[in-house]
């Protein structure tokens, strides 16, 4: 697939580029085309020239892609969706976005009136776009460490079975991550709210890169 990373110059965008570039063409997006290309060059320097990564402005990245990952902080969701509406057509859109803040004591979940970042993205994108929410509980630093085996589950929410299966495939590209379906897009709030909880647990217990695994009877 051609995968556009909107705001892909940041932490999680770099992590996705590093992991997905083995099997896909990665288009790093940014508000600045120059910054995007610099970021793509830095990734190629880190990983080696074999990867297929290039950079451009967010709108051009979306227009050229089969799939788009929204890699911006929740506060800038409009910039990644409605502001680029002319560039969207039939791409699969993946949202790892978590609306949260730190109140001085702990991280808290701040869902919008739509219930979640994913449902808000749906309301901002052109009608009929296939949106899947995933990756909220995967840490950017762990993704960027390309050789690290990530023993974690990725919880996925979406309404379109084909789109969910595409994201299951993407997750399968990352060593030992396990994709788990967690319900329709409307259930995304439940998954998104796990991220501030994980950050609180990590802080209080000095755990690095806390993630989620679902235990079951073997
Ligand atoms: N970091 C993690 O470990 C992690 C884990 C799971 C989920 N997430 C989610 O992934 C998303 C991205 O997180 P991140 O940590 O990668 O964020 P980040 O590094 O803070 O920012 C990502 C990018 O957002 C763009 N941006 C900043 N201000 C903007 C604005 N005003 N308008 C448009 N774009 C703007 C910047 O790209 P340009 O300056 O190049 O435009 C920046 O590189 C968040 O929604 C977060 O909840 C993060």
């Amino acid at each position: 697939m051609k995968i556009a990373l909107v705001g892909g110059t940041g932490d999680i965008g770099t992590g996705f580029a590093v992991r997905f570039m083995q099997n896909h063409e990665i288009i790093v997006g940014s508000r600045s085309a120059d910054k995007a290309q610099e970021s793509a060059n830095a990734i190629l320097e880190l990983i080696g020239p074999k990867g297929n990564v290039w950079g451009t402005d967010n709108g051009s990245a979306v227009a050229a892609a089969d799939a788009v990952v929204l890699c911006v902080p929740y506060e800038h969701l409009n910039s990644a969706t409605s502001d680029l509406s002319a560039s969207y057509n039939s791409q699969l859109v993946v949202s790892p976005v978590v609306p949260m803040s730190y109140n001085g004591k702990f991280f808290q979940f701040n869902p919008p009136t739509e219930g979640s970042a994913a449902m808000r993205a749906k309301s901002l994108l052109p009608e009929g776009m296939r949106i899947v929410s995933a990756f909220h509980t995967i840490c950017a630093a762990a993704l960027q460490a390309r050789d690290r085996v990530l023993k974690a589950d990725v919880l996925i929410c979406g309404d379109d079975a084909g789109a969910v299966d595409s994201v299951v495939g993407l997750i399968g590209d990352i060593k030992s991550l396990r994709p788990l379906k967690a319900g329709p897009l409307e259930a995304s709030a439940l998954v998104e709210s796990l991220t501030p909880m994980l950050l609180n647990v990590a802080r209080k217990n000095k755990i690095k890169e806390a993630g989620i695994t679902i235990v079951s009877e073997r």
Side-chain angles (χ1 to χ4, degrees), residues 5 12 22 65 79 104 108 113 122 134 142 148 161 174 178 207 209:
L5 306 171
I12 199 129
Q22 327 285 336
S79 313
Q108 55 189 3
T113 49
K122 183 180 175 179
R148 195 169 313 162
I174 303 177
R178 180 172 66 159
I207 295 170
E209 299 170 12

Side-chain angles (χ1 to χ4, degrees), residues 6-13 29-32 35-36 58 70-74 76 79-80 96-100 135-141 195:
V6 176
T9 55
D11 291 333
I12 199 129
S30 168
R31 288 166 293 173
S32 150
K35 183 178 171 187
N58 283 326
L70 306 175
C71 301
V72 297
Y74 174 74
H76 309 309
S79 313
V97 178
V98 180
M100 66 177 196
F135 294 109
H136 311 88
T137 56
I138 303 298
C139 172
T195 303

Side-chain angles (χ1 to χ4, degrees), residues 1-216:
M1 278 199 287
K2 288 186 184 184
I3 303 176
L5 306 171
V6 176
T9 55
D11 291 333
I12 199 129
T14 303
F16 287 136
V18 162
R19 295 287 181 155
F20 293 146
M21 66 189 276
Q22 327 285 336
N23 297 334
H24 304 279
E25 178 178 339
I26 303 303
I27 313 167
V28 177
S30 168
R31 288 166 293 173
S32 150
D34 288 346
K35 183 178 171 187
Q37 191 52 53
E38 275 166 30
S39 195
N41 291 342
I43 292 165
L44 284 173
E45 240 171 70
L46 196 75
I47 305 300
K50 278 190 184 160
N52 193 355
V53 185
W54 56 285
T56 184
D57 64 277
N58 283 326
S60 305
V62 169
D66 308 308
V68 176
V69 189
L70 306 175
C71 301
V72 297
Y74 174 74
E75 296 69 37
H76 309 309
L77 196 56
N78 282 41
S79 313
T81 54
S82 48
D83 290 359
L84 307 176
S85 58
S87 301
Y88 283 98
N89 44 70
S90 59
Q91 300 90 337
L92 160 67
V93 177
V94 182
S95 173
V97 178
V98 180
M100 66 177 196
S101 62
Y102 186 67
N103 67 7
K105 289 185 187 163
F106 62 94
F107 290 94
Q108 55 189 3
F109 184 49
N110 305 318
T113 49
E114 291 83 354
S116 64
M119 290 300 286
R120 173 118 184 101
K122 183 180 175 179
S123 77
L124 293 169
L125 284 163
E127 218 171 306
M129 299 290 300
R130 295 162 305 140
I131 303 159
V132 174
S133 83
F135 294 109
H136 311 88
T137 56
I138 303 298
C139 172
L143 283 176
Q144 288 177 20
R146 181 174 63 137
D147 295 326
R148 195 169 313 162
V149 176
L150 305 178
K151 291 184 194 127
D153 291 333
V154 179
L155 304 173
I156 312 165
C157 296
D159 298 329
D160 182 292
V164 168
D165 284 345
S166 296
V167 175
V168 166
L170 271 181
I171 294 164
D173 288 337
I174 303 177
K175 233 180 259 176
S176 90
L177 281 184
R178 180 172 66 159
L180 291 177
K181 297 173 188 174
L185 201 67
E186 234 182 312
S188 185
L190 299 171
V191 179
E192 294 175 20
S193 69
L194 296 174
T195 303
M197 181 278 289
L198 279 174
L199 290 171
N200 292 327
V201 170
R203 270 175 85 101
K204 289 286 176 198
N205 298 279
K206 298 188 170 45
I207 295 170
K208 269 193 183 173
E209 299 170 12
I212 291 280
T213 51
I214 306 294
V215 295
S216 60

